[in-house]
Amino acid sequence: AVHAACRYLDEGDLYRPTLDPLIRVRVEAYQKFKDRVGFKPNPKFTECPQHSHVYSVGTTPDREGQSNKWPAVIVEIKTGTFEDWWAIQTAIQDICLPTSPHGKRFRMAVELRDDGEPAVHEFRERSDYSVALGAISTYHWKLNHGLVKPKGG
C-alpha cells in the first residue's frame, strides 16, 4: 500500500485524506526525501520490470530518475529496517535498466520510517556490481546443475 501511495504521489494523483495514518506518515517521509534531494522520478521506469538479456536476470526497480545532485539515480523505497543486500539489489537494477548517458547510476534506498522521517542509505561501492554478477552467475550455475529449481517451475 505504501508503494502504491508513493506512486500516486509521484503522479500527482494522491488524495491524502483517504490514507490510513500508518501509510500517510510513510508517504510524508517520501515527500520529505523528494523535497530534500530534488528527486524527480522517471515514470517510464517506476516499478516497471526490467531484464538483462546479457546476464539473464530480471528485476523491478522502485524508482529511477534524477535529483539536484545526481543526473541519474536509482531509488529503492523501503519500509523495513536497513539490510546490507539492498546495495546488491540496486546494482542489479542498474545492470538491467537501459544504459544511462551519465554512466552508472547513483544508487540509494530511502527507508520510510514510521516517525515521518526518511533515512537515506547511499550505495557507493563499485564492488557491489561484481558481487551482484557473482550472485547471478552462482544462481545460473546451480540451476544448470539441478541444485535449484527455476522460478515458477
Side-chain angles (χ1 to χ4, degrees):
V2 172
H3 276 77
C6 289
R7 184 174 188 150
Y8 287 129
L9 176 71
D10 288 342
E11 295 169 351
D13 200 24
L14 179 66
Y15 185 62
R16 293 175 195 246
T18 62
L19 291 177
D20 177 280
L22 296 175
I23 295 171
R24 184 180 305 120
V25 72
R26 293 180 188 272
V27 171
E28 289 168 358
Y30 179 60
Q31 181 66 65
K32 287 177 185 176
F33 160 76
K34 287 178 64 174
D35 292 343
R36 289 175 186 166
V37 302
F39 180 64
K40 294 172 184 60
N42 180 345
K44 180 178 176 182
F45 298 118
T46 296
E47 297 184 26
C48 179
Q50 301 295 310
H51 183 264
S52 167
H53 296 284
V54 173
Y55 299 108
S56 193
V57 65
T59 185
T60 303
D62 288 341
R63 303 288 186 279
E64 190 273 351
Q66 60 185 9
S67 73
N68 294 338
K69 191 173 178 182
W70 305 286
V73 62
I74 291 173
V75 175
E76 192 61 22
I77 298 171
K78 301 295 186 181
T79 57
T81 55
F82 177 76
E83 297 282 348
D84 290 320
W85 58 263
W86 295 350
I88 308 310
Q89 179 184 24
T90 58
I92 292 172
Q93 291 168 350
D94 196 15
I95 289 166
C96 290
L97 281 160
T99 303
S100 167
H102 305 286
K104 298 268 184 224
R105 292 168 180 86
F106 189 79
R107 300 170 296 116
M108 66 174 62
V110 59
E111 185 182 334
L112 307 179
R113 300 186 326 210
D114 59 9
D115 65 358
E117 287 298 318
V120 177
H121 305 278
E122 298 179 353
F123 308 120
R124 298 176 180 268
E125 288 185 45
R126 303 304 276 177
S127 64
D128 292 343
Y129 290 90
S130 298
V131 173
L133 292 174
I136 293 165
S137 296
T138 300
Y139 170 78
H140 286 296
W141 184 89
K142 287 182 170 185
L143 183 65
N144 292 337
H145 289 85
L147 300 173
V148 295
K149 292 182 181 179
K151 264 190 136 175

